[in-house]
Amino acid sequence: MTDFHGKKVLILGGSRGIGAALVRRFAQDGADVTFTYAGSKDAAEELARETGSKTMKSDAADRTAVIESVKASSPLDILIVSAGTLALGNPLEIEADAIDKMIDVNVRAPYHASVEAARSMPEGGRIIIIGSVNGDRMPFAGGAAYALTKSAVQGMARGLARDFGDRDITVNVIQPGPTSTDMNPEDGPMSEFMHGFMAIKRHGRPEEIAGLAAYLAGPEAGFITGAMHTIDGGFGA
Ligand code: NDP
C-alpha cells in the first residue's frame, strides 16, 4: 500500500480491465479518484459505488472531450491514461477507420490529456500512460498499427519528461504484456500462443499492473521519468 490521501487522481478509461484495477488500487490507498468511461456505463457506475470514486462519460477518441475531462478534474496530482483499443488484422484488409480510431484513443488522447493536466499540475505530479510491450516487440503478424500506437507513447513520454522535469513532474509508460481483461482474456483462443513467447507462462493480473502504477505514482519514484516500465512475464525478454 502507498498512502495517497490528499492526492487527486484522474484515470482515463477506468470502467473495465486494467483501468478498473487502477481505480480500486488508488481508491483503497486513499486517493480522491475520478475515472472516465465511454461505453460501459453500468460497470462504471457500479465501480464508482464500490470504490467511492467519481465517474464521467468521456470518449477518448474525442480531443475536446479528453481536454474537458482533464480540465474538470484539475488540478491533478496524478494522471493515468489506460483507455485503449486493439485493432488487429491484415493491414491490407483492416478497416482504415478502425486504425484511425485506435490512433485517436491510444496516441492522441494520452498526448492531449498529459499536456492539459500539466498546465495546472503541482510540483511533483505524476503522469503515467499504459502502453504495451508491443511498443518494443511485435512478434506476430497483424499488429503493426497497434504496435505503432504503443511505440508512439514511448517518444511522447521521453519528450514530455523533459518538458515538465523542471517542475519535478514525472512522465512514465507502463508496458504490460498479456494481461487478463476483456481485451485479452486468459481463457481466450490466443493464450497458448502468447504464453509461448513468455518466461512466466500465464497472463498478468490487472492488479499487478496497478501495483506498478502505485509505485510510480508514489513518493519513492520521484527520480524515475521518461522511462518505459515493462511488466510482461518475460514476453519481451
Ligand atoms: P479492456 O478492453 O479490458 O478495457 C478498456 C478500457 O478502456 C475500458 O474501461 C474502456 O471503457 C476504455 N476505453 C476504450 N475506448 C475508450 C474510449 N474511446 N473512451 C474512453 N474509454 C475508452 O482493455 P485493458 O484493460 O486490457 O487495456 C487497458 C490498456 O492496457 C490499453 O491501453 C491496452 O492497450 C493496454 N494493454 C493491455 C494489455 C492486455 O493484454 N490486456 C497488454 C498490453 C497493454 P468503456 O468500456 O467504458 O468504453
Side-chain angles (χ1 to χ4, degrees), residues 170-211:
T170 68
V171 186
N172 287 287
V173 178
I174 292 179
Q175 302 196 138
T179 304
S180 194
T181 65
D182 295 338
M183 183 185 278
N184 184 2
E186 175 135 40
D187 58 3
M190 296 277 285
S191 273
E192 210 177 307
F193 174 67
M194 281 185 281
H195 295 171
F197 294 112
M198 298 166 74
I200 295 171
K201 296 185 185 303
R202 66 166 174 86
H203 273 41
R205 295 185 288 276
E207 305 76 50
E208 292 174 308
I209 313 303

Coordinates of all heavy atoms in Angstrom, one line a residue, residues 170-211:
T170 N 6.9 13.8 -13.2 CA 7.5 12.7 -13.9 C 6.4 12.2 -15.0 O 5.2 12.3 -14.8 CB 7.9 11.6 -13.0 OG1 6.7 11.0 -12.4 CG2 8.8 12.1 -11.9
V171 N 7.0 11.6 -16.1 CA 6.2 11.1 -17.1 C 6.7 9.7 -17.5 O 7.9 9.6 -17.9 CB 6.2 12.0 -18.4 CG1 5.2 11.5 -19.4 CG2 5.9 13.4 -18.1
N172 N 5.9 8.7 -17.3 CA 6.3 7.3 -17.5 C 5.3 6.5 -18.2 O 4.1 6.8 -18.2 CB 6.6 6.7 -16.1 CG 7.9 7.2 -15.4 OD1 9.0 6.9 -15.8 ND2 7.7 8.0 -14.4
V173 N 5.8 5.4 -18.8 CA 5.0 4.5 -19.5 C 5.1 3.1 -18.9 O 6.2 2.6 -18.6 CB 5.3 4.3 -21.0 CG1 4.5 3.3 -21.7 CG2 5.2 5.7 -21.7
I174 N 3.9 2.5 -18.6 CA 3.9 1.1 -18.1 C 3.6 0.2 -19.3 O 2.6 0.5 -20.1 CB 2.8 0.9 -17.0 CG1 3.3 1.6 -15.8 CG2 2.6 -0.6 -16.7 CD1 2.3 1.5 -14.6
Q175 N 4.4 -0.8 -19.5 CA 4.2 -1.6 -20.7 C 3.8 -3.1 -20.3 O 4.7 -3.9 -20.2 CB 5.5 -1.7 -21.5 CG 6.0 -0.3 -21.9 CD 7.0 -0.2 -23.0 OE1 7.0 0.6 -23.9 NE2 8.0 -1.1 -23.0
P176 N 2.5 -3.3 -20.2 CA 2.1 -4.7 -19.8 C 2.4 -5.6 -21.0 O 2.3 -5.3 -22.2 CB 0.6 -4.6 -19.5 CG 0.3 -3.1 -19.4 CD 1.4 -2.4 -20.3
G177 N 2.5 -6.9 -20.6 CA 2.4 -8.0 -21.6 C 1.0 -8.5 -21.5 O 0.1 -7.8 -20.9
P178 N 0.7 -9.7 -22.0 CA -0.7 -10.2 -21.9 C -1.2 -10.2 -20.5 O -0.6 -10.7 -19.6 CB -0.5 -11.7 -22.4 CG 0.7 -11.6 -23.3 CD 1.6 -10.6 -22.7
T179 N -2.3 -9.5 -20.4 CA -3.0 -9.3 -19.1 C -4.4 -9.6 -19.2 O -5.1 -9.2 -20.1 CB -2.8 -7.8 -18.6 OG1 -1.4 -7.5 -18.7 CG2 -3.3 -7.5 -17.3
S180 N -4.9 -10.4 -18.2 CA -6.3 -10.9 -18.4 C -7.3 -9.9 -18.2 O -7.6 -9.4 -17.0 CB -6.5 -12.1 -17.4 OG -7.6 -12.8 -17.8
T181 N -7.9 -9.4 -19.3 CA -9.0 -8.5 -19.3 C -10.0 -8.9 -20.4 O -9.7 -9.8 -21.2 CB -8.5 -7.0 -19.5 OG1 -8.0 -7.0 -20.9 CG2 -7.4 -6.6 -18.5
D182 N -11.0 -8.1 -20.6 CA -11.9 -8.3 -21.8 C -11.1 -8.2 -23.1 O -11.4 -8.9 -24.0 CB -13.0 -7.3 -21.8 CG -13.9 -7.4 -20.6 OD1 -14.0 -8.5 -20.0 OD2 -14.6 -6.4 -20.3
M183 N -10.1 -7.4 -23.1 CA -9.3 -7.2 -24.3 C -8.5 -8.5 -24.7 O -8.3 -8.8 -25.8 CB -8.4 -6.0 -24.2 CG -7.5 -5.7 -25.4 SD -6.3 -4.4 -25.2 CE -7.3 -2.9 -25.3
N184 N -8.1 -9.2 -23.6 CA -7.2 -10.3 -23.8 C -7.4 -11.3 -22.7 O -6.5 -11.5 -21.8 CB -5.7 -9.7 -23.8 CG -4.7 -10.8 -24.1 OD1 -5.0 -12.0 -24.3 ND2 -3.5 -10.4 -24.1
P185 N -8.5 -12.0 -22.7 CA -8.8 -12.9 -21.6 C -7.9 -14.1 -21.5 O -7.5 -14.6 -22.6 CB -10.3 -13.4 -21.9 CG -10.5 -13.0 -23.3 CD -9.6 -12.0 -23.7
E186 N -7.5 -14.5 -20.3 CA -6.6 -15.6 -20.2 C -7.2 -16.9 -20.8 O -6.4 -17.7 -21.2 CB -6.3 -15.8 -18.7 CG -5.4 -17.0 -18.4 CD -4.2 -16.8 -17.5 OE1 -4.4 -16.1 -16.5 OE2 -3.1 -17.3 -17.7
D187 N -8.5 -17.0 -20.8 CA -9.0 -18.3 -21.4 C -9.4 -18.1 -22.8 O -10.2 -18.8 -23.4 CB -10.3 -18.7 -20.5 CG -11.3 -17.6 -20.5 OD1 -11.2 -16.5 -21.1 OD2 -12.4 -17.8 -19.8
G188 N -8.9 -17.0 -23.5 CA -9.1 -16.8 -24.9 C -8.3 -17.7 -25.8 O -7.4 -18.4 -25.4
P189 N -8.7 -17.6 -27.1 CA -8.1 -18.6 -28.1 C -6.6 -18.3 -28.4 O -5.9 -19.2 -28.8 CB -8.9 -18.3 -29.4 CG -9.5 -17.0 -29.2 CD -9.7 -16.8 -27.7
M190 N -6.1 -17.1 -28.0 CA -4.7 -16.7 -28.3 C -3.7 -17.0 -27.2 O -2.5 -16.8 -27.3 CB -4.6 -15.2 -28.6 CG -5.4 -14.7 -29.8 SD -4.4 -14.9 -31.3 CE -3.2 -13.5 -31.1
S191 N -4.3 -17.5 -26.0 CA -3.5 -17.6 -24.8 C -2.3 -18.5 -25.0 O -1.1 -18.1 -24.7 CB -4.3 -18.1 -23.7 OG -4.9 -17.0 -23.0
E192 N -2.5 -19.7 -25.5 CA -1.4 -20.6 -25.5 C -0.3 -20.1 -26.5 O 0.9 -20.2 -26.1 CB -1.9 -22.0 -26.1 CG -1.1 -23.1 -25.5 CD -1.7 -24.5 -26.0 OE1 -2.9 -24.6 -25.8 OE2 -1.0 -25.3 -26.6
F193 N -0.7 -19.5 -27.5 CA 0.2 -18.9 -28.5 C 1.1 -17.8 -27.8 O 2.3 -17.8 -27.9 CB -0.6 -18.3 -29.6 CG 0.2 -17.5 -30.7 CD1 1.1 -18.1 -31.5 CD2 0.0 -16.1 -30.8 CE1 1.8 -17.4 -32.4 CE2 0.7 -15.4 -31.7 CZ 1.6 -16.0 -32.6
M194 N 0.4 -16.9 -27.0 CA 1.1 -15.8 -26.4 C 2.0 -16.4 -25.2 O 3.1 -15.9 -25.1 CB 0.1 -14.8 -25.8 CG -0.4 -13.9 -26.9 SD -1.4 -12.6 -26.3 CE -2.9 -13.4 -26.1
H195 N 1.5 -17.4 -24.5 CA 2.4 -17.9 -23.4 C 3.7 -18.5 -24.0 O 4.7 -18.6 -23.3 CB 1.6 -19.0 -22.6 CG 0.4 -18.4 -21.9 ND1 -0.5 -19.1 -21.2 CD2 0.0 -17.1 -21.7 CE1 -1.5 -18.3 -20.7 NE2 -1.1 -17.1 -21.0
G196 N 3.6 -18.9 -25.3 CA 4.8 -19.5 -25.9 C 5.9 -18.5 -26.0 O 7.1 -18.9 -26.1
F197 N 5.6 -17.2 -26.0 CA 6.7 -16.2 -26.0 C 7.2 -15.8 -24.6 O 8.1 -15.0 -24.5 CB 6.1 -14.9 -26.7 CG 5.7 -15.0 -28.1 CD1 4.4 -14.9 -28.5 CD2 6.7 -15.2 -29.1 CE1 4.0 -15.0 -29.8 CE2 6.3 -15.3 -30.4 CZ 5.0 -15.2 -30.8
M198 N 6.6 -16.3 -23.6 CA 6.8 -15.8 -22.3 C 7.7 -16.7 -21.4 O 7.7 -17.9 -21.5 CB 5.4 -15.5 -21.6 CG 4.6 -14.5 -22.3 SD 2.9 -14.4 -21.9 CE 3.0 -13.6 -20.3
A199 N 8.4 -16.1 -20.4 CA 9.2 -16.8 -19.4 C 8.2 -17.3 -18.3 O 8.4 -18.5 -17.8 CB 10.3 -16.0 -18.9
I200 N 7.3 -16.5 -17.9 CA 6.3 -16.9 -16.9 C 5.0 -17.1 -17.7 O 4.4 -16.2 -18.2 CB 6.1 -15.8 -15.9 CG1 7.5 -15.7 -15.1 CG2 5.0 -16.1 -14.9 CD1 7.6 -14.6 -14.1
K201 N 4.6 -18.4 -17.9 CA 3.6 -18.7 -18.9 C 2.2 -18.6 -18.3 O 1.5 -19.6 -18.1 CB 3.9 -20.1 -19.4 CG 5.2 -20.1 -20.1 CD 5.5 -21.4 -20.8 CE 6.9 -21.5 -21.4 NZ 7.1 -20.4 -22.4
R202 N 1.8 -17.3 -18.0 CA 0.4 -17.0 -17.6 C 0.2 -15.6 -18.0 O 1.1 -14.8 -18.3 CB 0.3 -17.2 -16.1 CG 1.1 -16.3 -15.3 CD 0.6 -16.3 -13.8 NE 1.4 -15.5 -12.9 CZ 1.3 -14.2 -12.7 NH1 0.4 -13.5 -13.4 NH2 2.1 -13.5 -11.9
H203 N -1.1 -15.2 -18.0 CA -1.4 -13.8 -18.2 C -1.1 -13.0 -16.9 O -1.2 -13.6 -15.8 CB -2.9 -13.6 -18.5 CG -3.2 -13.7 -19.9 ND1 -2.6 -14.7 -20.8 CD2 -4.1 -13.0 -20.7 CE1 -3.1 -14.5 -22.0 NE2 -4.0 -13.6 -22.0
G204 N -0.8 -11.8 -17.0 CA -0.7 -10.9 -15.9 C -2.1 -10.6 -15.3 O -3.1 -10.8 -16.0
R205 N -2.1 -10.2 -14.1 CA -3.4 -9.8 -13.5 C -3.4 -8.3 -13.4 O -2.4 -7.6 -13.1 CB -3.5 -10.3 -12.0 CG -3.5 -11.9 -12.0 CD -3.8 -12.4 -10.6 NE -2.6 -12.2 -9.7 CZ -1.6 -13.1 -9.6 NH1 -1.6 -14.2 -10.4 NH2 -0.6 -12.8 -8.8
P206 N -4.6 -7.7 -13.7 CA -4.7 -6.2 -13.7 C -4.2 -5.6 -12.4 O -3.6 -4.5 -12.4 CB -6.2 -6.0 -13.9 CG -6.7 -7.2 -14.6 CD -5.9 -8.3 -14.1
E207 N -4.3 -6.3 -11.3 CA -3.8 -5.8 -10.0 C -2.3 -5.6 -10.0 O -1.7 -4.8 -9.3 CB -4.3 -6.6 -8.8 CG -5.7 -6.9 -8.7 CD -6.2 -8.0 -9.7 OE1 -5.6 -9.0 -9.8 OE2 -7.2 -7.7 -10.4
E208 N -1.6 -6.5 -10.8 CA -0.2 -6.4 -10.8 C 0.2 -5.2 -11.6 O 1.2 -4.5 -11.2 CB 0.4 -7.7 -11.5 CG 0.2 -8.9 -10.6 CD 0.6 -10.2 -11.3 OE1 0.2 -10.5 -12.4 OE2 1.4 -11.0 -10.7
I209 N -0.5 -4.8 -12.6 CA -0.2 -3.6 -13.3 C -0.5 -2.4 -12.4 O 0.3 -1.4 -12.4 CB -1.1 -3.5 -14.6 CG1 -1.1 -4.8 -15.4 CG2 -0.6 -2.3 -15.5 CD1 0.3 -5.3 -15.8
A210 N -1.6 -2.5 -11.7 CA -2.0 -1.3 -10.8 C -0.9 -1.2 -9.7 O -0.6 0.0 -9.3 CB -3.3 -1.6 -10.2
G211 N -0.3 -2.3 -9.2 CA 0.8 -2.2 -8.2 C 2.0 -1.4 -8.7 O 2.5 -0.6 -8.0

